[in-house]
Amino acid sequence: MTGALFKANFWSTDILSTAGYDCLIQHLNNGRKNCKEFEDFLKERASIEEKYGKDLLNLSRKKPCGQSEINTLKRALEVFKQQVDNVAQCHIQLAQTLREEARKMEEFREKQKLQRKKTEILMDAIHKQKSLQFKKTMDAKKTYEQKCRDKDEAEQAVHRSANLVNPKQQEKLFVKLATSKTAVEDSDKTYMMHISTLDKIREDWQSEHIKACEMFEAQECERINFFRNALWLHMNQLSQQCVTSDDMYEEVRKSLEACSIEKDIAFFVNHRKTGQTPPAPIMYENFYCPQKNTASQGKALGPNLVRRGPLPVPRSTPDDQDYSLVNDYSLIYQ
């Protein structure tokens, strides 16, 4: 904590100037605005985290992902889907945490606003009082100076009329001089009274200005510290989110390490095998000379399959004119 920098560096030689005070108020307002911006940032980040978490949740619960896998890889995918679900829940929880941090920032901001309000009201009032009293003092000074000039003119008039014989004229000048002297004395008293009052107000304002500077500096130190800690905490929360997500992903990696290609292949074979004997070769069959063991070929012929009889043997040779006759039936059209 610095402690005394504000009250030593925000003054002005002009008694009516509020430049130092205005500069401090502007700085504090900017600080409050910065807190509001960070608060809004947290709320927006919370909305993003919540939407991402819900989208990820819908993805893990509704979108198929290797649903027909079997055995060890199936178990690994189940762990994967569960951990994605857990990560989604973590993002939704992070959104709630960020909204809570935003609420704390808002409460802090409003607390400082209320603390400053009394000081600002007091300072605004004393600034107006000082300005008003300064105006009264300057008006009293003008009146006093004018009365002094009037008295000086009255004295000069008396001196110029010293050789006048008319006693009434001289008496009038003396009366005017006496009146002007009385007016000077009265205006002087009034002027001095306003000066005294202004000085008292100036001292009060100076004292309150110092108190305000001390209070504003303490608030600013508190605000910077709170803002810094809030940002630090936000980074820790995001880091923790990454660590938690990585722990969940590590569970998936462990399940994948337990995945066995050999076991999955063997599991598939044992549960889905269709037989161990391949089909026999398909043999050639002569249409006129069928083989007897047709059942041993690639496809069974069936018990009721009817085959043609053997090919008839011609009774004549190819050179015989009756070669075309089969059982007295001629193949040549006559």
Side-chain angles (χ1 to χ4, degrees):
M1 299 291 180
T2 53
L5 289 178
F6 280 14
K7 69 179 182 181
N9 292 281
F10 291 92
W11 297 98
S12 175
T13 56
D14 183 2
I15 191 172
L16 292 180
S17 175
T18 59
Y21 175 81
D22 293 340
C23 182
L24 289 175
I25 290 296
Q26 182 62 46
H27 180 69
L28 295 179
N29 287 338
N30 288 340
R32 184 166 178 269
K33 179 183 176 184
N34 294 336
C35 289
K36 180 65 168 62
E37 290 174 351
F38 183 63
E39 173 192 329
D40 293 340
F41 181 91
L42 290 176
K43 291 179 180 179
E44 186 69 21
R45 178 65 186 265
S47 298
I48 293 172
E49 291 289 342
E50 184 177 52
K51 183 179 184 304
Y52 175 70
K54 289 182 177 180
D55 289 346
L56 198 58
L57 206 60
N58 289 333
L59 177 66
S60 68
R61 294 181 179 181
K62 297 180 180 180
K63 186 70 175 178
C65 182
Q67 60 183 353
S68 64
E69 285 295 341
I70 58 175
N71 207 34
T72 61
L73 185 55
K74 178 181 180 180
R75 290 194 290 271
L77 283 169
E78 289 173 349
V79 174
F80 165 70
K81 293 289 290 291
Q82 181 59 51
Q83 294 306 325
V84 171
D85 190 289
N86 293 340
V87 169
Q89 296 287 2
C90 285
H91 281 281
I92 294 174
Q93 180 60 43
L94 176 61
Q96 297 174 352
T97 302
L98 295 180
R99 287 194 177 96
E100 178 63 22
E101 294 305 314
R103 184 188 63 80
K104 291 179 181 178
M105 178 62 76
E106 181 181 11
E107 289 179 351
F108 174 79
R109 187 167 49 82
E110 291 302 315
K111 182 194 75 172
Q112 284 207 327
K113 178 184 177 182
L114 292 176
Q115 289 175 343
R116 279 173 45 196
K117 188 173 182 180
K118 293 181 179 178
T119 300
E120 290 180 16
I121 290 174
L122 178 61
M123 291 301 295
D124 288 344
I126 202 168
H127 284 153
K128 291 179 181 178
Q129 185 183 18
K130 181 182 64 169
S131 178
L132 180 61
Q133 184 57 41
F134 180 81
K135 183 177 183 305
K136 290 180 178 180
T137 301
M138 293 300 101
D139 289 342
K141 179 183 179 182
K142 290 179 181 178
T143 301
Y144 165 70
E145 290 175 345
Q146 184 60 46
K147 297 301 180 183
C148 287
R149 285 192 288 269
D150 292 343
K151 183 182 77 69
D152 290 345
E153 290 178 1
E155 287 179 344
Q156 292 175 6
V158 169
H159 289 309
R160 286 195 300 268
S161 65
N163 297 324
L164 290 178
V165 181
N166 190 340
K168 288 185 178 182
Q169 190 70 23
Q170 286 185 338
E171 183 178 358
K172 286 178 64 176
L173 293 174
F174 278 111
V175 170
K176 185 176 180 180
L177 177 59
T179 302
S180 63
K181 286 182 178 180
T182 302
V184 167
E185 292 174 357
D186 291 342
S187 63
D188 182 57
K189 290 178 182 179
T190 301
Y191 177 38
M192 291 181 65
M193 180 187 70
H194 282 295
I195 285 289
S196 177
T197 302
L198 179 61
D199 194 57
K200 176 66 170 59
I201 293 174
R202 183 193 62 81
E203 290 177 354
D204 292 342
W205 162 76
Q206 185 171 323
S207 175
E208 292 301 328
H209 181 77
I210 291 173
K211 291 178 183 178
C213 287
E214 292 173 343
M215 186 263 194
F216 291 163
E217 186 168 353
Q219 266 206 342
E220 182 62 2
C221 291
E222 182 186 23
R223 186 194 68 82
I224 293 174
N225 184 61
F226 187 88
F227 200 160
R228 172 187 174 275
N229 291 342
L231 189 56
W232 190 291
L233 178 61
H234 181 55
M235 294 300 100
N236 287 346
Q237 290 166 343
L238 297 183
S239 295
Q240 184 59 49
Q241 173 72 19
C242 294
V243 172
T244 303
S245 296
D246 189 64
D247 289 342
M248 294 174 179
Y249 295 142
E250 181 63 23
E251 294 299 318
V252 180
R253 286 189 284 267
K254 289 179 181 179
S255 68
L256 290 172
E257 288 175 353
C259 182
S260 171
I261 300 174
E262 293 78 8
K263 289 182 180 179
D264 285 5
I265 294 295
F267 183 89
F268 170 73
V269 170
N270 291 333
H271 287 77
R272 301 294 178 86
K273 61 185 178 181
T274 59
Q276 295 180 335
T277 303
I282 305 299
M283 303 301 293
Y284 168 76
E285 296 181 25
N286 187 288
F287 183 79
Y288 297 100
C289 299
Q291 297 180 4
K292 295 182 180 181
N293 298 328
T294 56
S296 62
Q297 296 187 16
K299 232 178 194 182
L301 296 176
N304 299 321
L305 187 62
V306 178
R307 303 292 296 179
R308 288 174 179 263
L311 187 70
V313 178
R315 290 177 300 179
S316 57
T317 62
D319 296 333
D320 192 347
Q321 62 178 358
D322 295 330
Y323 176 70
S324 59
L325 296 177
V326 177
N327 291 336
D328 297 328
Y329 177 78
S330 177
L331 300 177
I332 299 176
Y333 176 78
Q334 293 180 356

